[in-house]
Amino acid sequence: MQFSENWLRSLVDTDLDSQSLSHALTMAGLEVEEMQSVAAPFSHVVVAKILSAEKHPDADRLQILKVDVGQAEPLQIVCGAANARVGLIAPCALVGAELPGISIKQAKVRGVESFGMMCSSKELGLSAEASGLLELESHAVIGQNIREHLDLDDHVFTLKLTPNRSDCLSITGIARDVAAITGGKTNFQEIKPAAIELQASKQVLVAAQKACPHYCGRLISGVNASSPTPAWMVKRLERSGLRSISAVVDVTNYVLLALGQPLHAFDAAKLSGDIAVRFANTGESLSLLNDQTIELKTDDLVIADASGPVALAGIMGGKPTSVDDATTDLFLESAFFIPAVIAGKARRIGLSTDSSYRFERGVDFGNTRNAIEYATTLILQICGGKAGVITEVAGEIPARHAVKLRMTRLVSVLGIAFEQEKVAQLLTQLGFAYTESSNVFNVTPPSYRFDIAIEEDLIEEIARLHGYDHIPATPPVATLRMLASPEKELHLNQFRDTLVSKGYQEVVTYSFVDESWERDLLGNPTPIKLKNPIASNLSVMRTSLWGGLLDTLIYNLNRKQDRVFIFEIGAVYRQHELSYSEATRVSGLAYGSALPEQWAAKDAEIDFFDVKAHIETLLGSGAVFEKAEHTALHPGQSAKILLNDKVVGWLGKLHPKWQQHYDLPKSAYLFEIEAAEIVNRDLPGYQEVSKLLPVRRDIAVVIDENIAAGHVLSCINQANIPLVSEVALFDLYQGKGVAENKKSLALSVLMHDTQKTLTDSDADATMANLLQLLQNEFRAELRN
């Protein structure tokens, strides 16, 4: 929101200077993003009138002027401006004036004395370029200081408003807030109804009552649309960031800035029949004022006549019914539209207008009629004409429910012992209606404050009016204790440290991914789609981190990085029948050589077992790998990762078709593990260390070739056979002497007893138990 400081000061009394006012607004939550002077500093420049103009005897482009500057005698000034002429009123810099970059002195110009300089807007620092002298109005007072005449001792404030403060998107709203902050008095002009001189009107049918609870419209006939906009209005518009277009449009823009109520003026002669406020029908289109033609959707609210839509409600009017210099009859519209109906519609068609910006955040529904009356008065004053009766359609406007403010809660949140009278005074300054009983205020917010809905909103209002810088910085007093940190729970940073120690680098990728990754790479035909994606290739939520890792790999390969070890710990998202879920995963990718290039080791490519070893370091000895297939992985080099007999992740080589798809010269290996399944670990328990030597026995058994050796070892460990402390596989054999479809596993078995030295009979009995277990579970046979 941009506005003129002088315009603001005309509406509210305050003794604060510009800097103090800027600070007060910022500390009250209306952040002043920028404050600029309207004009650069200069002095001794006055309003002057050219009395005579004679050609310079020695220069074709110069004139010798006699200029009235409000002194006893006219001044002689040599001037080269093309528009200098008798009767022209323009700024004149007197001798001794200091202009931006120029000091004015008495001088001779081609032999003729010159006692000043006639000025253009460029020389006054008001514009970057100028084609001639700055021409002033005929009623300008000769000799008046030009800074006073042009109101140049002014500042332009730019506020960076938060979305909830739509009430401050008008100079009236800002003045209200300044009055509340400083305790000053507002000087708002009373808006009186325009005199009705025309009985003609248009009927208005509001079919979408819930979307448009209040609509006002009136005919104004006999206007002169080509009338010039008054200089005071142009000045305020320009200092608010709007350019002057035409008198009628300027009036609607001025009321928008003054009251925060968007208006629209139609050329009544171009309207067919009566007005309807409805949602668009299928197949309807509209040509907007910016020459853009849009196809309307059924949720677009439109203003229509008998021929179809003539305006996109709350956003922009239509070109065919727009006002031009030939317009003589107007239909003026002022309405309140529900914010949810307007929100997002302008952005959908690539627009952002002052009207939509306000309607999306909420417009004062109590000011709808006042706005049209004010605009009517200004149009009649500037363009003439006769005003008709207002056609008003009022439905159910948003209810303003009372909000409770408890003194105990206020003191508890802010930590300040407020007196009840002080709170009442601040609420009065805000213009809030309230009742008080038993230290509880029941506050009814005004129609322009959409942001007051809960008790905390009122506490915020009290705090900002009291002044955040007046709230004492009191150190908190509390009993501090260490939060529980169970040893069984591992922090994700421990996994980060482990992977970094193995040469991996952490990356962070988007949670939004390309739909083709989910559908093709991960075999997910129904990913979670975003309603408003930031890019077409970021349109769904990810169910795996692999897509982002592969994208990062390609990015690095394109930049000549031929060894890439990366990991990410991030969220993935799942869609269920009636809900969504989020989970954290630890995922990694290894590509290129197993070790960085060096003289002490041969260059060897990373393989499945290298990455498997990294995962075993991450998860510990309890990790089990079971052959399985995944759509993204090589069918012969992929496995499920199990922990405590539960699948916790995947490991494998990228499928050859995806390697070809991504044009990867070498194989990439991927893994992904559910973080929630690995953060809890069993604590190691103490076991007595035997002082006696272990007994080792070797055993070779024959089993079916499709039984995994890991499964056999896991079964032995889970059986907890007495005296057996360790079992390891040291040989696997298939061939001569072993039946077809069979294989031989050679196991080393270590046996301990902490109390005595084992005898052969003890070892034999233990081995017999072990063999019996293998026979029962795997139909194993002792190999001869």
Side-chain angles (χ1 to χ4, degrees):
M1 176 65 186
Q2 183 176 312
F3 61 91
S4 158
E5 180 186 357
N6 286 352
W7 188 8
L8 174 65
R9 289 182 181 276
S10 71
L11 299 177
V12 60
D13 296 330
T14 175
D15 296 330
L16 298 178
D17 59 26
S18 299
Q19 290 294 340
S20 300
L21 177 61
S22 173
H23 178 74
L25 287 169
T26 298
M27 294 307 297
L30 308 181
E31 181 185 350
V32 178
E33 188 174 30
E34 189 177 26
M35 184 181 75
Q36 287 185 327
S37 296
V38 169
F42 61 81
S43 60
H44 294 83
V45 181
V46 298
V47 177
K49 183 177 182 179
I50 299 176
L51 301 177
S52 66
E54 297 178 2
K55 186 178 177 181
H56 193 289
D58 294 330
D60 293 337
R61 296 185 179 181
L62 297 180
Q63 296 185 80
I64 303 172
L65 308 179
K66 292 293 185 181
V67 180
D68 182 2
V69 294
Q71 298 178 1
E73 296 293 331
L75 298 181
Q76 177 175 287
I77 295 175
V78 178
C79 177
N83 64 335
R85 61 189 184 275
V86 175
L88 176 68
I89 298 177
C92 177
L94 305 177
V95 172
E98 295 290 337
L99 302 182
I102 309 173
S103 295
I104 304 302
K105 301 176 181 178
Q106 180 179 340
K108 281 188 177 182
V109 181
R110 294 287 184 93
V112 178
E113 291 282 354
S114 182
F115 298 89
M117 183 178 77
M118 301 299 290
C119 300
S120 68
S121 57
K122 179 182 178 181
E123 287 148 349
L124 296 179
L126 302 180
S127 64
E129 296 295 334
S131 58
L133 300 181
L134 177 60
E135 300 191 18
L136 304 177
E137 303 90 345
S138 59
H139 56 76
V141 179
I142 305 302
Q144 184 183 23
N145 188 318
I146 196 67
R147 296 192 71 90
E148 180 183 346
H149 177 74
L150 295 178
D151 195 19
L152 298 182
D153 293 322
D154 190 11
H155 292 90
V156 172
F157 281 65
T158 303
L159 300 185
K160 187 178 181 181
L161 296 173
T162 52
N164 62 313
R165 291 309 305 271
S166 60
D167 60 300
C168 288
L169 289 171
S170 69
I171 195 71
T172 298
I174 298 168
R176 271 194 303 251
D177 230 48
V178 170
I181 295 164
T182 63
K185 181 182 177 183
T186 57
N187 305 312
F188 296 142
Q189 180 182 352
E190 181 184 358
I191 299 175
K192 298 180 180 180
I196 306 299
E197 298 182 274
L198 183 70
Q199 294 306 312
S201 65
K202 278 190 175 293
Q203 295 298 313
V204 176
L205 172 65
V206 180
Q209 277 276 354
K210 290 185 177 179
C212 178
H214 196 186
Y215 186 96
C216 294
R218 86 174 338 151
L219 286 170
I220 304 175
S221 69
V223 301
N224 179 10
S226 60
S227 298
T229 304
W232 63 267
M233 182 179 289
V234 172
K235 177 179 63 182
R236 287 181 173 178
L237 289 173
E238 289 177 346
R239 293 181 186 179
S240 299
L242 299 180
R243 62 183 178 86
S244 176
I245 298 173
S246 67
V248 174
V249 176
D250 289 349
V251 166
T252 59
N253 285 336
Y254 181 79
V255 174
L256 170 80
L257 294 171
L259 303 180
Q261 172 66 51
L263 303 172
H264 186 65
F266 299 92
D267 188 328
K270 299 175 183 177
L271 294 172
S272 302
D274 295 324
I275 297 296
V277 183
R278 60 174 174 82
F279 286 103
N281 298 321
T282 303
E284 287 186 319
S285 62
L286 177 62
S287 176
L288 298 175
L289 285 171
N290 65 349
D291 295 322
Q292 177 183 355
T293 300
I294 60 170
E295 297 297 325
L296 297 169
K297 297 184 180 298
T298 54
D299 63 342
D300 287 328
L301 188 67
V302 298
I303 312 300
D305 64 4
S307 64
V310 294
L312 190 55
I315 298 174
M316 186 176 284
K319 185 77 170 180
T321 57
S322 61
V323 174
D324 55 33
D325 288 347
T327 299
T328 57
D329 297 329
L330 303 175
F331 180 73
L332 192 60
E333 166 194 276
S334 176
F336 171 72
F337 303 114
I338 297 296
V341 176
I342 308 301
K345 303 298 172 55
R347 185 172 55 195
R348 186 168 70 190
I349 58 175
L351 287 178
S352 178
T353 65
D354 290 322
S355 294
S356 65
Y357 190 83
R358 286 161 173 78
F359 277 124
E360 286 174 347
R361 287 157 176 77
V363 168
D364 181 7
F365 53 79
N367 223 16
T368 308
R369 189 178 181 104
N370 277 343
I372 199 171
E373 291 286 13
Y374 188 31
T376 302
T377 300
L378 291 173
I379 290 173
L380 296 179
Q381 289 174 357
I382 299 168
C383 304
K386 298 179 180 180
V389 295
I390 294 178
T391 303
E392 185 172 10
V393 180
E396 184 179 350
I397 59 175
R400 308 305 288 149
H401 300 292
V403 180
K404 287 186 177 181
L405 175 61
R406 297 164 292 171
M407 288 295 299
T408 53
R409 177 63 175 164
L410 175 67
V411 173
S412 173
V413 171
L414 298 183
I416 305 173
F418 273 108
E419 295 293 334
Q420 194 166 318
E421 293 76 12
K422 177 65 173 177
V423 175
Q425 176 191 339
L426 294 177
L427 291 174
T428 301
Q429 287 176 209
L430 286 164
F432 292 178
Y434 64 88
T435 59
E436 186 275 329
S437 176
S438 303
N439 289 326
V440 177
F441 287 89
N442 287 286
V443 182
T444 303
S447 59
Y448 50 82
R449 290 301 298 269
F450 279 77
D451 59 319
I452 306 298
I454 59 176
E455 187 173 29
E456 283 69 20
D457 295 331
L458 291 172
I459 294 174
E460 180 188 0
E461 291 298 300
I462 298 299
R464 72 185 189 88
L465 259 65
H466 177 73
Y468 294 120
D469 46 356
H470 295 149
I471 297 176
T474 306
V477 179
T479 302
L480 300 180
R481 60 185 179 86
M482 295 293 291
L483 296 176
S485 180
E487 193 176 352
K488 292 179 65 176
E489 293 182 10
L490 299 179
H491 196 279
L492 290 175
N493 284 344
Q494 292 178 254
F495 300 116
R496 288 186 170 93
D497 293 341
T498 301
L499 289 169
V500 168
S501 71
K502 293 299 179 182
Y504 289 81
Q505 292 180 303
E506 186 172 10
V507 299
V508 178
T509 63
Y510 279 114
S511 295
F512 310 144
V513 298
D514 195 321
E515 185 175 0
S516 63
W517 292 359
E518 288 291 318
R519 183 183 60 248
D520 303 330
L521 180 67
L522 302 172
N524 178 19
T526 57
I528 304 172
K529 293 187 177 181
L530 300 175
K531 288 186 176 180
N532 188 25
I534 59 176
S536 59
N537 63 332
L538 300 172
S539 59
V540 300
M541 303 294 286
R542 66 186 178 188
T543 58
S544 170
L545 306 179
W546 285 348
L549 295 180
L550 286 168
D551 196 46
T552 305
L553 169 63
I554 294 166
Y555 181 89
N556 280 273
L557 291 178
N558 289 339
R559 286 153 182 79
K560 306 303 180 184
Q561 298 295 320
D562 56 1
R563 183 177 184 270
V564 179
F565 279 44
I566 53 177
F567 77 94
E568 180 174 9
I569 299 178
V572 297
Y573 308 88
R574 288 283 183 184
Q575 181 174 4
H576 308 289
E577 186 176 351
L578 299 175
S579 63
Y580 301 92
S581 63
E582 177 181 336
T584 301
R585 290 185 183 173
V586 180
S587 186
L589 179 150
Y591 177 92
S593 56
L595 297 172
E597 186 177 1
Q598 57 176 299
W599 61 270
K602 292 183 179 180
D603 186 21
E605 297 298 320
I606 191 79
D607 63 20
F608 180 91
F609 296 101
D610 290 325
V611 181
K612 178 174 176 286
H614 298 162
I615 296 173
E616 288 175 332
T617 305
L618 197 66
L619 303 184
S621 59
V624 175
F625 300 85
E626 184 178 291
K627 182 180 178 182
E629 293 188 3
H630 189 287
T631 56
L633 303 177
H634 192 299
Q637 295 190 49
S638 60
K640 293 179 181 177
I641 306 171
L642 293 91
L643 205 60
N644 299 323
D645 295 327
K646 186 174 183 180
V647 177
V648 298
W650 285 87
L651 160 67
K653 177 181 176 181
L654 184 65
H655 198 289
K657 71 175 182 180
W658 295 114
Q659 183 176 341
Q660 183 179 7
H661 174 78
Y662 289 113
D663 197 21
L664 302 178
K666 302 174 184 177
S667 299
Y669 293 87
L670 298 154
F671 68 86
E672 188 160 87
I673 305 166
E674 294 284 353
E677 302 295 339
I678 62 174
V679 291
N680 294 312
R681 296 281 182 85
D682 293 331
L683 293 177
Y686 170 75
Q687 288 184 335
E688 186 180 358
V689 178
S690 176
K691 298 178 182 179
L692 306 172
L693 293 176
V695 174
R696 170 173 171 163
R697 292 284 180 89
D698 294 341
I699 184 175
V701 294
V702 178
I703 60 175
D704 290 342
E705 66 175 355
N706 61 351
I707 298 175
H711 190 194
V712 174
L713 294 174
S714 176
C715 180
I716 295 172
N717 289 329
Q718 291 178 6
N720 291 320
I721 299 173
L723 303 182
V724 175
S725 60
E726 184 179 338
V727 179
L729 173 70
F730 68 87
D731 187 40
L732 185 151
Y733 174 74
Q734 285 180 289
K736 187 176 180 180
V738 177
E740 189 178 355
N741 298 327
K742 298 287 185 177
K743 63 183 176 183
S744 170
L745 301 181
L747 307 173
S748 66
V749 183
L750 290 182
M751 291 169 280
H752 267 116
D753 192 318
T754 60
Q755 304 301 321
K756 65 176 184 176
T757 301
L758 295 178
T759 63
D760 286 343
S761 60
D762 294 331
D764 291 341
T766 299
M767 294 301 293
N769 291 336
L770 176 60
L771 181 58
Q772 186 63 49
L773 172 67
L774 297 177
Q775 289 173 343
N776 293 339
E777 294 294 330
F778 306 107
R779 296 181 181 179
E781 297 177 1
L782 189 64
R783 182 181 172 193
N784 296 326

